[in-house]
Amino acid sequence: MRLDFPPKYTEVIGAVKIHSLQKVYEIDSGYGTKTKNSQLNNSTISFGNKKISKICNEMAIVIPVKNEKLSLLEGVLSGVPNECLIIIVSNSQKTPVDRYSMEVEMVKQYSQFTNKRIAIVHQRDSNLGRIFHKLNYSSILDNYSQIRSGKAEGMVIGILLAKMHGMKYVGFVDSDNYFPGAVNEYVKIFASGFAMSKSHLSNVRVCWRSKPKVANNRVYFPRWGRISEHSNKYLNDLISYITGFERDIVTTGNAGEHALSMSLAENMDFSTGYSVEPYELINILEKFGGIINETTNSTKDFVEVFQIETRNPHFHENKGDEHITGMLYESLNVINNSKICNTEITKDIKNHMIMLQHKANNGSIKLNGNNNDHIMAPINTIPIDKFNELVIDSPQLLHLFNVQ
Ligand code: GDP
Ligand code: CO
């Protein structure tokens, strides 16, 4: 893969370096046998397949799924490079039709054909809830000691399973993507981001080139989704306020496709449901930006955030206006609740949220979230050996295919 390098500019906030958007020049830049793993010229860097493959070997790809079409999920699996460990965390229904069993069966067959390493688990399995309860990790549980529903909850389970399997990196890819080729590009972007990083704490965020829409019998390629436009704006307002310079560095506020090095992932808080992506940036700034707590500002442990633009368009299942309103509301809510958000920006966001509430009331949509109740604690508080032991002791919990 060949990308812009170095990034055009970098915003430095305490121990956080946020790089501006980098473009992909070649999705595949060859095997890379020449002298080194990476080749650098004046404005680009390339990583050969050998280097990408090496990183993929140490990377888990977590795929959250909830009642998606089986063929879509299978397509997504087909796009993930063979070296990666795939972890599917499902919240699909078990009654009246057992969609989860259908997923397990499909994955079983698929893994036999491809020799891919795949793990699949159900997020609401009571045994899993019991394990978290036993290990005192209650921030993921509901009042009945079951794991809450939500994409972020699924992601946290995925990170923990990745850590249990000794993975150094963890990437997230949605299961409702229509283009397996795009999935393949996302994973290679993750690997290239980690290859570029000079820190063991890194976050790679994907910016879609476009999200195609069909209207009036024509295909359009709008640049921004309906949520990103707003969450990017508020995140940029926040950063401009902190640095004192007005800039538009953030282009990936709601990127569903993103990756973290394990050393960063295990130290982060995660916000419930769909607000997880903007909160990831907020939490990095809270913990490492030196804004709230000066002591977190250390030069050794700096965080690098890469934002990389795909070549493929992003084409996923259309889930309607209600879904969009709810997601935007949750995203604005976590930005607004952050300790680093100032009153001026809060005022703008609150007005926007009131507007969304009116819209939701007219359409009788229920909006989630008004406080920070559902922030999940860092997973490094969980003793991983103990977790491993408890998972192995629950034989029906985790299905493993081609995984030792
Ligand atoms: P959008 O693409 O951001 O509009 O949101 P989606 O509704 O497509 O959800 C993103 C991904 O998360 C998809 O792959 C969903 O199947 C999955 N997902 C949604 N809710 C849950 C959940 O409660 N648990 C899990 N494990 N996955 C979920
Ligand atoms: Co989607």
Side-chain angles (χ1 to χ4, degrees), residues 221-263:
F221 292 88
R223 180 82 172 80
W224 301 114
R226 285 173 285 178
I227 300 175
S228 300
E229 190 185 339
H230 302 292
S231 58
N232 288 344
K233 178 192 174 302
Y234 293 120
L235 286 165
N236 281 319
D237 285 353
L238 192 69
I239 290 171
S240 305
Y241 173 77
I242 296 166
T243 59
F245 289 95
E246 207 168 295
R247 286 222 177 122
D248 290 333
I249 189 119
V250 177
T251 53
T252 57
N254 278 82
E257 274 63 36
H258 53 113
L260 294 160
S261 60
M262 188 54 79
S263 348

Side-chain angles (χ1 to χ4, degrees), residues 320-354:
D321 276 353
E322 285 190 15
H323 175 69
I324 300 278
T325 309
M327 271 180 91
L328 179 56
Y329 189 82
E330 286 181 39
S331 300
L332 297 188
N333 191 47
V334 287
I335 304 175
N336 189 46
N337 281 345
S338 169
K339 292 183 239 62
I340 56 173
C341 196
N342 79 321
T343 43
E344 205 50 37
I345 301 165
T346 300
K347 209 164 75 195
D348 288 353
I349 300 181
K350 279 202 175 117
N351 285 337
H352 199 148
M353 287 173 74
I354 291 169

